[in-house]
Amino acid sequence: MRRSADEIAKMRKAGKVVAEMHECIRMAIRPGVTTLDLDRVGRDVLDRRGARSNFLGYHGFPAVICASPNDMIVHGIPNDTVLVEGDIISIDCGAIIQGYHGDAAFTVGVGSIASEAQRLIDVTEASLTAGIAQMYEGNRISDIGQAVQEVAEAAGFSVVREYVGHAIGTEMHEKPEVPNYGPGGRGPKLRPGNVFAVEPMVNAGDYGTRLLDDGWGVVTADGALSAHFEHTIAILDHGPEVLTLP
Ligand code: MG
Ligand code: MG
C-alpha cells in the first residue's frame, strides 16, 4: 500500500506518541519496578495525548505494552514481577491517532548489566539502523532483512525467524511481512509511500523460539538472552523517514 502525504502526516503524529511512551517508560525502568508499573506509564501518555492503544485488546492482549525480560523475545504480558539489577527488558508499544498506527520497541538494561548483554542490545539496535538504510525506492523487502541479518550474525548472534516486521497504516499489522533475514533481492519493490514496522529480534544463542503456556510470551528455546528494536518508517521520495522518533 502507498500512503498519501496526508496519511503519513497522521502516522507521524502517532509515531510521536509512541516515542513519548518510550521516553517515559525508559525513565521509569530501574531495579524494583514491575512491568505492570511500566504499562501504567504507557497508559498515562496515551491518555495525555488523546491516543488509543493498538495493543490493548489485540486478540485479547490485556495491556498497552509488551514487556519481555531477559530470555523473552516478544509479547510478554506485563505482570507484578519485579525487575532487578542486571536484567534486560524489551518494551514494545504502539498508538493510534486519527485511525493511523505507530509501533516501536526498544531494549535496555536494568541498572548495570553484563557487557555481553549490552553488546547484544547495541548490535540489535545497529541491525535495525542497517535495515533502515536499505529503505530506498528500487530495493526490495528482503534487502532490509539481509542487512539486519549481516549485522547480527557478524557479531556472533542470531535473528529470529518465526516473528517478523510488517507493513503498517490503518491496521497495525498489514501485508507484506518484513523478515529480519535475507537473501536480499526478494519480495515486493519498495516504493515512496510504503510504511513498514521493521523489528529485528536478535538472540545471543540460537534463533529457536518457544511459546509460553499463557499463549503470548515467546522465549528463546535455549534460554539465552534476546533483544528487540523496532521503528515505524515511511519511505519518501528521498529515502526513509523514521516516524517513531521524538
Ligand atoms: Mg511492536
Ligand atoms: Mg510491530
Side-chain angles (χ1 to χ4, degrees):
M1 172 110 34
R2 298 177 71 172
R3 301 286 173 188
S4 69
D6 181 54
E7 289 179 298
I8 289 173
K10 288 173 182 164
M11 297 188 75
R12 201 175 277 124
K13 286 184 190 166
K16 298 262 184 256
V17 175
V18 179
E20 188 176 342
M21 292 172 82
H22 279 202
E23 283 187 325
C24 293
I25 291 168
R26 191 184 280 270
M27 282 192 291
I29 291 173
R30 65 175 67 89
V33 81
T34 71
T35 49
L36 214 43
D37 295 330
L38 302 178
D39 187 66
R40 250 171 250 124
V41 172
R43 282 176 199 250
D44 287 347
V45 175
L46 288 164
D47 289 347
R48 199 157 66 226
R49 296 300 171 205
R52 285 197 300 123
S53 171
N54 37 16
F55 281 47
L56 184 65
Y58 183 86
H59 296 284
F61 192 77
V64 305
I65 68 169
C66 292
S68 307
N70 300 321
D71 65 335
M72 194 174 286
I73 302 167
V74 284
H75 303 164
I77 297 175
N79 60 25
D80 54 10
T81 304
V82 174
L83 297 179
V84 300
E85 179 110 12
D87 282 347
I88 68 170
I89 176 79
S90 299
I91 302 293
D92 190 356
C93 60
I96 310 171
I97 290 272
Q98 296 174 281
Y100 288 83
H101 291 242
D103 179 15
F106 68 95
T107 303
V108 70
V110 180
S112 124
I113 63 171
S115 60
E116 187 64 4
Q118 189 61 54
R119 192 172 74 89
L120 174 69
I121 292 171
D122 294 343
V123 166
T124 306
E125 187 166 25
S127 76
L128 173 56
T129 302
I132 293 170
Q134 294 299 315
M135 297 178 74
Y136 285 90
E137 180 173 20
N139 271 359
R140 291 182 185 270
I141 286 279
S142 79
D143 294 321
I144 300 169
Q146 177 179 294
V148 167
Q149 183 179 20
E150 280 173 2
V151 169
E153 292 185 353
F157 301 136
S158 66
V159 294
V160 169
R161 307 297 202 269
E162 285 98 329
Y163 303 87
V164 295
H166 48 94
I168 181 169
T170 51
E171 310 255 9
M172 179 161 58
H173 294 139
E174 299 183 351
K175 294 289 176 195
E177 294 185 339
V178 184
N180 295 302
Y181 49 90
R186 300 190 182 177
K189 278 191 175 162
L190 304 180
R191 306 259 184 222
N194 290 159
V195 186
F196 297 111
V198 179
E199 50 179 312
M201 289 146 263
V202 176
N203 295 352
D206 189 73
Y207 60 73
T209 69
R210 182 169 65 84
L211 183 65
L212 295 185
D213 289 339
D214 67 13
W216 281 105
V218 178
V219 296
T220 58
D222 61 9
L225 293 179
S226 186
H228 181 206
F229 279 84
E230 176 181 28
H231 273 305
T232 296
I233 304 124
I235 298 174
L236 305 179
D237 290 329
H238 57 272
E241 178 186 334
V242 179
L243 302 179
T244 39
L245 282 176

